[in-house]
Amino acid sequence: MQGDSALGRALALVRDLRARCPWDSVQTRASLRPYLTEEALELDQAIRHDDLAAIRDELGDVLLHVAFQIVIGEERGELDAETVVQSLEHKMKRRHPHLYGLGEQPATWELGKREDKGKPDGGSGKGKTLTGLPPTLPPLLMAYLLQERAAGVGFDWPDATGPMAKVTEEIGELEREMRSGTRESLEDEIGDLLFSVVNLARKLAIDPRAALERANGKFVRRFEGVERLAEARGVDLGRASLEQLDELWEEVKRRTEMD
């Protein structure tokens, strides 16, 4: 791979840092994991806000970590940029056989991945549909991706009607458990309800993370409005009754809805 390419320059930068910086020189694959996760999440937020300057910067940070892992692989004689890119090329060709004269187009992306799982050399065999997701994924994202994978092999509702009915069913089951259930059974029912809501969002083509982020942001803005209104009226939030707080909340809500 050409040394003056963008990736080549990133690799050269990391090699230089490893040679001359005490902190960079002692980093390992494992020690860099928390930072890689952090940078990936920061990129996710930059994309969420459609902040082009931040997207560029965060992509650079993620690229730095990719370069770090490649250079560490070089040092250990295990891999280099060429083998990494070759692996990527081979995988994408196997998963898009119709584009490269290697076979027919898979019915879905997930079926293509399932066929490809466990056979990096393109050998025979099928992988399991739900394997390979990092266990450290945030639970909301994990639920969404599990459902996407299951849907990719045909295990899915035809439209949002089914998930909506399932949400209603789970609410009824939760109500029954609230009357006499154990903490464990309540946790199970809450989990089932949340999983069903994620599925409903997916069938409506809504990212449940984005929806929850919007709800969180709305709650913060409104609660901070309640705090400002309470301060202006001399109301001590810690001593106010629930009825007083609810009145303030509804007033703030009406104001924000009119804005």
mmCIF file of all heavy atoms in Angstrom, residues 13 52 109 111 116 150 180 206 231 236:
data_model
loop_
_atom_site.group_PDB
_atom_site.id
_atom_site.type_symbol
_atom_site.label_atom_id
_atom_site.label_comp_id
_atom_site.label_asym_id
_atom_site.label_seq_id
_atom_site.Cartn_x
_atom_site.Cartn_y
_atom_site.Cartn_z
ATOM 1 N N LEU A 13 2.419 8.116 10.870
ATOM 2 C CA LEU A 13 2.273 8.951 12.059
ATOM 3 C C LEU A 13 2.306 8.101 13.323
ATOM 4 O O LEU A 13 3.010 8.421 14.289
ATOM 5 C CB LEU A 13 0.959 9.735 11.979
ATOM 6 C CG LEU A 13 0.575 10.556 13.213
ATOM 7 C CD1 LEU A 13 1.594 11.652 13.469
ATOM 8 C CD2 LEU A 13 -0.820 11.143 13.039
ATOM 9 N N LEU A 52 -20.626 18.657 10.451
ATOM 10 C CA LEU A 52 -19.623 18.217 9.488
ATOM 11 C C LEU A 52 -18.198 18.376 10.005
ATOM 12 O O LEU A 52 -17.348 17.522 9.769
ATOM 13 C CB LEU A 52 -19.802 18.985 8.178
ATOM 14 C CG LEU A 52 -21.125 18.731 7.445
ATOM 15 C CD1 LEU A 52 -21.171 19.526 6.149
ATOM 16 C CD2 LEU A 52 -21.322 17.249 7.172
ATOM 17 N N TRP A 109 -29.315 -8.865 3.014
ATOM 18 C CA TRP A 109 -27.957 -8.672 3.509
ATOM 19 C C TRP A 109 -27.646 -9.650 4.637
ATOM 20 O O TRP A 109 -26.561 -10.217 4.716
ATOM 21 C CB TRP A 109 -27.798 -7.233 3.968
ATOM 22 C CG TRP A 109 -26.506 -6.926 4.667
ATOM 23 C CD1 TRP A 109 -26.324 -6.667 6.000
ATOM 24 C CD2 TRP A 109 -25.194 -6.829 4.084
ATOM 25 N NE1 TRP A 109 -25.002 -6.430 6.272
ATOM 26 C CE2 TRP A 109 -24.283 -6.518 5.122
ATOM 27 C CE3 TRP A 109 -24.715 -6.983 2.781
ATOM 28 C CZ2 TRP A 109 -22.928 -6.349 4.893
ATOM 29 C CZ3 TRP A 109 -23.350 -6.821 2.565
ATOM 30 C CH2 TRP A 109 -22.477 -6.507 3.614
ATOM 31 N N LEU A 111 -28.931 -12.611 5.204
ATOM 32 C CA LEU A 111 -28.723 -13.963 4.699
ATOM 33 C C LEU A 111 -27.336 -14.104 4.098
ATOM 34 O O LEU A 111 -26.680 -15.134 4.263
ATOM 35 C CB LEU A 111 -29.790 -14.290 3.647
ATOM 36 C CG LEU A 111 -31.158 -14.722 4.172
ATOM 37 C CD1 LEU A 111 -32.146 -14.873 3.024
ATOM 38 C CD2 LEU A 111 -31.048 -16.026 4.961
ATOM 39 N N ASP A 116 -21.846 -16.327 5.062
ATOM 40 C CA ASP A 116 -20.420 -16.013 5.106
ATOM 41 C C ASP A 116 -19.799 -16.286 6.474
ATOM 42 O O ASP A 116 -18.596 -16.420 6.607
ATOM 43 C CB ASP A 116 -20.230 -14.539 4.737
ATOM 44 C CG ASP A 116 -18.771 -14.177 4.535
ATOM 45 O OD1 ASP A 116 -18.078 -14.929 3.843
ATOM 46 O OD2 ASP A 116 -18.339 -13.147 5.071
ATOM 47 N N ALA A 150 -32.649 -11.019 12.802
ATOM 48 C CA ALA A 150 -33.731 -11.997 12.690
ATOM 49 C C ALA A 150 -34.627 -11.673 11.504
ATOM 50 O O ALA A 150 -35.051 -12.570 10.763
ATOM 51 C CB ALA A 150 -34.544 -12.025 13.985
ATOM 52 N N SER A 180 -49.036 -8.656 41.637
ATOM 53 C CA SER A 180 -48.613 -9.740 42.528
ATOM 54 C C SER A 180 -47.263 -10.347 42.166
ATOM 55 O O SER A 180 -46.842 -11.330 42.779
ATOM 56 C CB SER A 180 -49.670 -10.856 42.522
ATOM 57 O OG SER A 180 -49.856 -11.344 41.202
ATOM 58 N N ILE A 206 -37.917 4.047 12.487
ATOM 59 C CA ILE A 206 -37.426 5.018 13.458
ATOM 60 C C ILE A 206 -36.275 4.396 14.229
ATOM 61 O O ILE A 206 -36.391 3.272 14.737
ATOM 62 C CB ILE A 206 -38.543 5.426 14.455
ATOM 63 C CG1 ILE A 206 -39.726 6.072 13.720
ATOM 64 C CG2 ILE A 206 -37.996 6.349 15.528
ATOM 65 C CD1 ILE A 206 -39.396 7.379 13.050
ATOM 66 N N GLU A 231 -37.949 28.971 40.594
ATOM 67 C CA GLU A 231 -37.079 29.987 41.201
ATOM 68 C C GLU A 231 -37.702 31.374 41.075
ATOM 69 O O GLU A 231 -37.678 32.166 42.028
ATOM 70 C CB GLU A 231 -35.714 29.964 40.530
ATOM 71 C CG GLU A 231 -34.710 30.933 41.148
ATOM 72 C CD GLU A 231 -33.343 30.860 40.501
ATOM 73 O OE1 GLU A 231 -33.195 30.117 39.503
ATOM 74 O OE2 GLU A 231 -32.430 31.533 40.984
ATOM 75 N N ASP A 236 -39.652 26.277 46.370
ATOM 76 C CA ASP A 236 -38.552 25.360 46.676
ATOM 77 C C ASP A 236 -38.921 23.988 46.116
ATOM 78 O O ASP A 236 -39.849 23.334 46.612
ATOM 79 C CB ASP A 236 -38.340 25.291 48.180
ATOM 80 C CG ASP A 236 -37.147 24.427 48.569
ATOM 81 O OD1 ASP A 236 -36.631 23.688 47.705
ATOM 82 O OD2 ASP A 236 -36.727 24.499 49.736
#
